[in-house]
DNA sequence: TTGTAAGCGTTATCAA
DNA sequence: TTGATAACGCTTACAA
């Protein structure tokens, strides 16, 4: 193993000087810096992370506490993960996955073990017990999501209330007089803000705009539920129903089922989904969508976390991203004609 | 922070004794052990991982080098990941994700930094440069996949050649005289063994059984390609075509497209897919499938890695799991009648 | 069966 | 601007 001492010997300086150079202190003269860097390159030196951490520095790991189980909608999780990994990488540290199922214990464990510098917390609940524990642990932490619990942890989220309003507005624009919200069975409106926005704020907004609405929950990727919705719609044609879908997990099957039932999206019936742009574009009928900006969300969260770690500035307590509707064929023009 | 010294003080023993107890030495008397464990519980002591690693012990991290990008089929990756996380958890260590795109550099970095105890290597190529580098790094490593490169690293994989044969056999059983293999565009038969099994061994086996075959590549989850296959099939009814699908990524859309084209699976046309059992079962027509045992595969790999880390036994060099076909409605009886 | 003491590679403090 | 030295918390010979 190449140590700082080896580098120091080769460069003809002391271990301390090497440490200064590595950590970017500017108390070192340029020539010395160059000397040291040359030796670092030559020997292929990489600081030993455990040693660095033990000596009080940073470990170079950030934890990502996220629930991954069979009900996980991986299509939604993936952009978060990949964006976190990429950004973390560019900060020269690594990602540790902490299974969200373990709750606060899993987080406490890695924290006590001194293995993570900071935490990205997913699956935030409207009431979330973990938050106060984390605060008392003094662990730099950014939430991705929205809570109603009082907390001083900074958070990043997408404005789901706005998303739902945009969906409804666009459906009404093409003539809908009744909205059907379709979501996963696993979305708990009592626990998750996005589910609440969809199942409570959505219908409320419909009422305020003078139209009726109802909500259907579908078991993840299962055909039966989807077909039952579609066949119902079949009989509702006269009622000018518009569809608002919350998750890509069911979108493609839904659109497939529509086709099978000879319902043409954007003509017989309008539909607006919450999903990534490319996913919406790739459907047989391109779907008007609102991209939930998962990557931007996570990217922001990571950067806030790093700004906390570097301790320079006070982080913004709440960052709310507002995504915008992208109109495509499924609401291109007046429907029900 | 609770240190081993604190525990020692409370338990009335020395730091050393605490260390022995924690690390499961059996040189310590039962009563002392109990004393110590009581103190550990009471204080909520967790060993400081950096310190432990620095002192020569294990870091408690295993790296998972896996490519995650926009072409990643998350449906296939997920069971691997979740099974690794769960099993790693039970070995009291954590998972670090190493972006596979970085190639050997990413792995070298974490290794030089002394942050991982072992490595699970995914996306193994038939020719894979990384293997020799990893061997020379003396990093305990288990491959998940199959290579043709010479290496002493142990590997775990599923017998894809057998999978393809089982698919073909079942299709022939119900009357197919021509097989269409359908796969992702991104599957590179020159690089990945599973792709090769499908695009080379499969057609070869068809020939040996006296029937013809062809292969179609579909861009991930894109309708256009899928519909072109389905509409082709429409015109081929007389030719007794059977469908073999390699990845769940396109299965549900394929079956949806079949319905839309009024082709009834298991009656007009038989189909056998490689996908998880529950996924096959959840299709509108339950699909005869071969579960690629992703979770068993990863579980085995993790356990082999830990047996290497504990240094007890020489690991088995190659573990090949053979999955079995589960017959469902899509090949329940003679087709084309 | 338990304790003493050396060392792991780094950073931080302080002196030169 | 640089160098010596003391932590950091743990493991592991070796001694008792």
């Amino acid at each position: 193993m190449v140590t700082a001492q080896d580098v120091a010997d080769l460069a003809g300086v002391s271990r301390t000087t090497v440490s200064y150079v590595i950590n970017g202190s500017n108390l070192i003269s340029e020539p010395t810096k160059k000397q040291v860097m040359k030796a670092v390159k030559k020997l292929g030196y990489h600081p030993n992370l455990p040693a660095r951490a033990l000596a009080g520095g940073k470990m170079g790991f950030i934890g990502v506490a996220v629930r991954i189980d069979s009900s996980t909608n991986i299509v939604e999780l993936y952009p978060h993960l990949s964006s976190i990994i990429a950004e973390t990488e560019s900060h020269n540290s690594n990602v540790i996955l902490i299974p969200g199922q373990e709750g606060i214990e899993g987080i406490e464990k890695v924290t006590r073990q001194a293995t993570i510098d900071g935490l990205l917390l997913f699956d935030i609940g409207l009431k979330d017990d973990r938050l106060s524990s984390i605060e008392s642990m003094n662990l730099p932490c950014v939430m991705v999501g929205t809570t109603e619990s009082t907390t001083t942890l900074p958070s990043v989220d997408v404005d789901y209330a706005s998303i739902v309003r945009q969906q409804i507005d666009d459906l009404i624009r093409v003539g809908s007089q009744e909205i059907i919200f379709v979501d996963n069975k696993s979305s708990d409106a009592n626990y998750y803000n996005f589910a609440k926005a969809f199942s409570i704020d959505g219908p409320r907004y419909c009422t305020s705009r003078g139209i009726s609405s109802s909500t259907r929950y579908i078991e993840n990727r299962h055909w039966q539920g989807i077909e039952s919705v579609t066949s119902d719609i079949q009989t509702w044609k006269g009622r000018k129903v518009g569809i608002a879908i919350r998750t890509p997990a069911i979108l493609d099957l839904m659109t497939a089922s529509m086709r099978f039932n000879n319902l043409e999206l954007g003509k017989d019936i309008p539909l607006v989904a919450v999903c990534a742009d490319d996913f919406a574009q790739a459907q047989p009928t391109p779907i008007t969508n609102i991209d939930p900006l998962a990557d931007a969300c996570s990217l922001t969260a990571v950067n806030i976390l790093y700004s906390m770690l570097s301790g320079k500035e006070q982080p913004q307590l709440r960052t709310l991203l507002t995504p915008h509707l992208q109109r495509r064929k499924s609401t291109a023009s007046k429907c029900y004609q």
Side-chain angles (χ1 to χ4, degrees), chain A:
Chain A
M1 161 172 251
V2 183
T3 72
Q5 186 65 65
D6 298 332
V7 175
D9 291 348
L10 181 63
V13 298
S14 79
R15 214 160 67 246
T16 312
T17 306
V18 173
S19 177
Y20 279 140
V21 173
I22 293 295
N23 295 295
S25 158
N26 44 7
L27 299 161
I28 305 289
S29 67
E30 268 315 312
T32 313
K33 264 188 195 167
K34 284 221 174 87
Q35 269 299 322
V36 171
M37 287 316 291
K38 218 169 87 181
V40 165
K41 278 262 158 59
K42 184 160 181 191
L43 297 175
Y45 167 77
H46 288 254
N48 179 301
L49 251 39
R52 168 179 284 182
L54 186 56
K58 292 283 168 264
M59 189 58 195
F61 289 134
I62 70 165
V64 176
V66 58
R67 195 173 42 73
I68 298 190
D69 59 25
S70 60
S71 82
T72 302
N73 180 358
I74 210 79
V75 179
E76 292 177 79
L77 177 60
Y78 161 71
H80 280 117
L81 264 193
S82 72
S83 139
I84 291 170
I85 292 174
E87 189 61 12
T88 303
E89 196 63 26
S90 83
H91 284 270
N92 245 301
S93 48
N94 299 96
V95 168
I96 293 181
L97 286 178
I98 304 169
Q101 301 88 303
E102 294 175 17
I104 191 67
E105 275 82 24
I107 294 166
E108 264 169 350
K109 203 184 95 193
V110 286
T111 307
R112 286 238 176 76
Q113 289 176 336
T115 54
I116 59 173
D117 305 325
L119 180 68
L120 251 37
L121 193 64
F122 281 77
D123 307 308
I124 305 297
L126 289 170
K127 298 261 172 292
D128 201 318
D129 301 336
R130 301 172 300 175
L131 306 181
S132 61
S133 309
I134 290 172
E135 280 183 75
S136 68
M137 284 158 64
N138 263 353
L139 175 69
C141 172
V142 178
M143 304 185 284
V144 178
T146 299
T147 186
E148 287 170 351
S149 299
T150 51
T151 176
T152 60
L153 299 177
S155 73
V156 181
D157 203 1
V158 160
D159 187 344
Y160 274 99
S162 157
I163 288 182
V164 178
R165 285 195 304 271
Q166 289 182 61
Q167 286 185 294
I168 296 167
D169 286 341
D170 208 49
L171 291 170
I172 292 178
R173 187 185 53 80
V174 294
S176 298
Q177 288 168 8
E178 176 174 349
I179 308 287
I180 301 184
F181 298 102
V182 187
D183 197 355
N184 272 341
K185 209 162 225 159
S186 62
S187 298
D188 181 352
N190 294 314
Y191 193 72
Y192 292 117
N193 181 64
F194 62 80
K196 183 187 160 201
F198 214 72
S199 76
I200 297 181
D201 301 350
R204 191 169 293 161
Y205 185 67
C206 285
T207 308
S208 82
R209 293 222 40 189
I211 64 171
S212 66
S213 68
S214 62
T215 308
R216 299 291 292 266
Y217 292 100
I218 290 184
E219 195 138 353
N220 223 351
R221 297 196 73 79
H222 276 252
W223 271 94
Q224 284 190 323
I226 288 168
E227 297 235 302
S228 84
V229 174
T230 328
S231 60
D232 277 6
I233 291 166
Q234 192 70 265
T235 69
W236 292 347
K237 268 185 185 166
R239 283 159 61 188
K240 302 196 172 174
V241 167
I243 311 282
I245 291 193
R246 200 205 47 87
T247 160
I250 51 174
L251 174 60
D252 46 9
L253 302 190
M254 190 82 182
T255 61
S257 180
M258 296 269 186
R259 297 194 82 181
F260 186 62
N261 284 282
N262 282 314
L263 286 161
E264 195 173 328
L265 286 174
K267 185 161 158 274
D268 301 320
I269 196 160
L271 186 152
V272 181
V274 180
C275 69
D277 287 332
D278 54 354
F279 198 77
Q281 185 62 54
Q283 300 303 312
T285 302
I287 300 294
T288 296
N289 74 305
I290 302 171
D291 190 314
L293 305 178
D295 35 12
C297 228
S298 285
L299 186 78
T300 310
V302 172
N303 284 322
I304 291 177
L305 185 57
Y306 279 107
S307 85
M308 289 166 81
L309 289 175
S310 71
K312 269 175 239 156
E313 43 200 320
Q314 204 60 19
Q316 197 177 347
L317 208 59
R318 178 142 183 77
T319 308
L320 203 56
L321 307 177
T322 305
H324 291 294
L325 182 138
Q326 178 71 42
R327 192 166 297 144
R328 303 180 209 274
K329 206 166 168 207
S330 71
T331 63
S333 55
K334 283 269 177 198
C335 282
Y336 320 105
Q337 300 184 340

